[in-house]
Amino acid sequence: MSTPTETALARRWKTDVNMGDDLVPDWQPLIGVTEFQPTWPPNIEDSTTYDTDGWKEQVKTGQEWQVEVTFNRKKSPDSTTFSPVHEKLRLASFAYDTASQVSVRFYDRSGLPEAYTGKVLVEWEDQGGEYTALGQIQATLHGTGPLTPITNPVTP
């Protein structure tokens, strides 16, 4: 096996939204993505005691995750509808209880092994702009519950 020498590109990420439900998933692509930033920082607490001779000790006590994604707002050619996937995220941002949760998955589009899934709460921010600007949305997908590594759905 050779040592990897090529640099991965940021645009390697692909995101899907479950337009179905947990029993019968219908994964559809989030189109128009221009920026994508996943994070899953741990919660680290200081557990230092007198017994450590001055050396700090820490313990991981929790985990959170989120994805910040910016995308160009897509509409139909006759300007009567928006992308159904974009609409699912927008409407979830107004909802409460289970209606506010959306299942997402994100993975390496070339089939490399990095792939994850989880449920999110959506924070929706229309970016507005000048008369020459594109219609863009910045959405923060706040993980609620675990971010689970999965087998990449793309077969290389």
Side-chain angles (χ1 to χ4, degrees):
M1 178 177 223
S2 65
T3 300
T5 59
E6 302 301 313
T7 301
L9 301 177
R11 66 177 181 255
R12 71 188 180 91
W13 290 109
K14 183 170 174 58
T15 305
D16 296 335
V17 173
N18 185 358
M19 300 298 285
D21 58 34
D22 291 342
L23 295 176
V24 183
D26 177 18
W27 294 105
Q28 298 295 319
L30 175 61
I31 59 174
V33 174
T34 61
E35 288 186 50
F36 182 88
Q37 296 176 317
T39 59
W40 44 86
N43 186 71
I44 304 291
E45 297 292 333
D46 185 341
S47 62
T48 307
T49 67
Y50 285 9
D51 300 324
T52 63
D53 292 326
W55 290 99
K56 187 172 189 168
E57 289 185 344
Q58 299 181 70
V59 174
K60 178 179 173 182
T61 62
Q63 189 89 26
E64 65 179 303
W65 67 280
Q66 73 176 25
V67 174
E68 289 186 12
V69 61
T70 302
F71 52 90
N72 293 332
R73 191 78 154 108
K74 298 295 185 177
K75 60 182 179 70
S76 63
D78 64 359
S79 297
T80 59
T81 59
F82 285 112
S83 157
V85 173
H86 294 181
E87 282 298 278
K88 176 143 184 158
L89 295 175
R90 183 182 68 82
L91 293 173
S93 75
F94 285 100
Y96 291 90
D97 297 324
T98 58
S100 69
Q101 296 181 13
V102 179
S103 292
V104 299
R105 66 183 184 184
F106 55 96
Y107 50 92
D108 186 289
R109 68 179 62 242
S110 68
L112 287 168
E114 196 168 7
Y116 307 94
T117 191
K119 289 189 185 267
V120 298
L121 302 175
V122 180
E123 187 176 343
W124 179 275
E125 296 179 42
D126 192 307
Q127 297 302 288
E130 297 181 19
Y131 72 97
T132 57
L134 298 174
Q136 285 195 320
I137 303 300
Q138 180 177 339
T140 304
L141 309 178
H142 297 276
T144 179
L147 177 64
T148 305
I150 58 171
T151 301
N152 191 324
V154 174
T155 305

